Amino acid sequence: MMRCFRHRPATLARRLAALLCLAIVASPGLAGGAPRVYDAPAAALGGAAELAVPPPPPEYQIEDLGWIEFAYHPSTRDRVRPLIVRADALRAELRALLGREVLAAPVKVRIADIPAELDHLVPGGLGRPATAVSFGALRLAVLSATPRLGLAAPDLDRALRHQLAHLALDDATGGAALPRWVHEGFAVHAAGDRAVLRAQRLSVAALRSRLVPLADLEARLAGARETTTSIAGAQAADVIRFLLEGDRRASFARALDRLRAGAPFAAALEASYASTSAELELAWRADVARRYGFLPVLAGALLLAGLLVGGGHAAQRLRARRSPPLPALRRRPRAAPELRSRPARASTAQLVATLGARQRVEGDGDTDVPKVEHNGQWHTLH
């Protein structure tokens, strides 16, 4: 019995280690060999038009807004309700971005509690690990409220924006075949995925002259484990940002019209912007240099200013500690003022009597003779 008890912890530890390794290998964010599922709708499912979207599980709650139907696990209700409230505003943003009516036909959104449930929400299953995928032919977007391995809760709002952006771009082009970097770049840009991190990556790449040529962007994006944070994904989103910025948005809308009419992507882009692909790439690189090139310089200047200010304060504190303290000034206690009694003022009668006595003394040398005052005159008594 004692021998069996000693071997159990080691066996259990080996099994847990094996399960952990298996989970890490299966994770898309940590595994090195498992690529991320391609969530651009045009390449997600072959022959998807012939498939039907399976009904949601019976325990799922359903909210139908006419153009979009939400079906979600009850445990995700508090996180899904804000998405339902902002759904119409999100569609309006995508319409303004693309310059045309999109997402008019009904769209289905399925939100699972855990990633394992996604296989039951997609016809035929996903086949690969994923937490958010959209299918243009099915007009379907599936999301998971929790990530694999339970590392951090995903941002459902940005995930929904990302997937609906794929579907909206499919609507705008009529399902035309587009390069993956265009689909993914537009979705990342529309959703605002990790904008600060993307700007940082572009800034460093621009300063080091490591921007990927647009001709190689497709291959680099296909080999990236995480398209949003990779330099290829950041560059794809920024190229779309450049093509949509300011007056160029009208040219982008014309390119969508040509794509819808069957023109290849490169030809539609060059005709709409009246520039060759090489000229567009040079213009974009110049814009990146102006937009992101100053960020490290600004950050370095701010850091240097902070160090100078902090160093000055530290030096003042150090000098204050080393210098001897000044002797405190001693104050002599002030004596309480002496209260002197003031003589009472003499009354009028007393003053008259005093003056009269003085006159008698000065005017009459015979001070021993009695005198009487009558009507202001003095009379001697005999």
Side-chain angles (χ1 to χ4, degrees):
M1 294 294 292
M2 183 63 67
R3 183 178 182 180
C4 180
F5 176 79
R6 289 177 179 175
H7 281 272
R8 279 183 181 177
T11 304
L12 181 60
R14 286 195 297 269
R15 290 180 179 179
L16 289 176
L19 289 175
L20 181 59
C21 293
L22 180 61
I24 292 175
V25 171
S27 171
L30 300 178
R36 175 182 169 181
V37 171
Y38 178 33
D39 60 353
L45 280 180
E50 301 176 358
L51 301 176
V53 178
E59 68 273 13
Y60 273 38
Q61 298 181 3
I62 298 177
E63 292 279 349
D64 193 351
L65 304 183
W67 69 273
I68 186 170
E69 177 191 88
F70 287 89
Y72 56 93
H73 193 276
S75 63
T76 65
R77 183 180 185 278
D78 292 340
R79 298 176 60 191
V80 174
R81 292 302 303 175
L83 305 183
I84 299 174
V85 173
R86 292 194 296 267
D88 291 335
L90 175 56
R91 181 172 65 163
E93 292 175 10
L94 291 172
R95 286 175 175 175
L97 198 59
L98 293 170
R100 65 195 61 253
E101 186 75 18
V102 292
L103 302 180
V107 174
K108 297 182 183 298
V109 177
R110 304 287 186 259
I111 302 177
D113 181 30
I114 57 177
E117 294 182 2
L118 297 180
D119 285 333
H120 305 291
L121 303 177
V122 176
L126 291 180
R128 291 181 180 179
T131 56
V133 186
S134 56
F135 306 98
L138 297 175
R139 304 193 64 78
L140 170 68
V142 292
L143 315 171
S144 172
T146 56
R148 297 184 180 274
L149 294 181
L151 296 179
D155 189 341
L156 287 182
D157 182 76
R158 293 193 184 278
L160 179 63
R161 288 171 179 267
H162 187 109
Q163 303 309 323
L164 289 184
H166 279 306
L167 300 180
L169 186 58
D170 259 6
D171 282 355
T173 61
L178 296 176
R180 181 186 178 186
W181 72 263
V182 177
H183 244 298
E184 191 65 18
F186 177 78
V188 171
H189 171 68
D193 293 338
R194 302 185 180 182
V196 176
L197 182 57
R198 287 190 285 111
Q200 179 184 359
R201 293 288 176 85
L202 286 172
S203 178
V204 174
L207 288 177
R208 296 181 178 180
S209 300
R210 292 183 179 179
L211 292 173
V212 181
L214 294 186
D216 302 335
L217 196 57
E218 186 77 5
R220 290 286 297 272
L221 192 63
R225 287 186 295 175
E226 177 56 51
T227 57
T228 303
T229 57
S230 66
I231 181 59
Q235 185 170 326
D238 199 71
V239 171
I240 298 298
R241 187 270 312 165
F242 173 76
L243 296 177
L244 283 168
E245 196 171 46
D247 298 336
R248 291 186 291 269
R249 182 171 298 188
S251 300
F252 192 81
R254 290 193 293 269
L256 296 178
D257 291 335
R258 288 184 168 90
L259 288 169
R260 195 177 186 91
F265 173 74
L269 204 64
E270 292 179 353
S272 301
Y273 286 88
S275 302
T276 64
S277 299
E279 291 172 343
L280 286 174
E281 182 172 358
L282 287 176
W284 169 76
R285 286 177 177 270
D287 183 75
V288 168
R290 290 192 302 269
R291 190 180 184 90
Y292 302 107
F294 75 96
L295 288 179
V297 178
L298 177 62
L302 292 177
L303 179 61
L304 179 61
L307 291 176
L308 291 176
V309 173
H313 288 304
Q316 289 180 357
R317 289 194 298 267
L318 184 60
R319 286 196 298 267
R321 290 178 181 177
R322 289 182 177 179
S323 59
L326 296 176
L329 297 177
R330 297 182 179 179
R331 295 183 178 180
R332 296 181 179 179
R334 297 179 60 182
E338 298 181 359
L339 298 177
R340 297 180 180 179
S341 59
R342 298 177 61 183
R345 297 181 61 182
S347 62
T348 304
Q350 291 176 346
L351 290 175
V352 172
T354 303
L355 290 175
R358 287 181 179 178
Q359 289 178 359
R360 289 195 301 272
V361 171
E362 293 174 358
D364 190 0
D366 191 3
T367 57
D368 297 330
V369 180
K371 297 180 180 180
V372 178
E373 182 182 9
H374 179 69
N375 294 331
Q377 295 182 357
W378 291 92
H379 303 275
T380 304
L381 297 178
H382 297 281

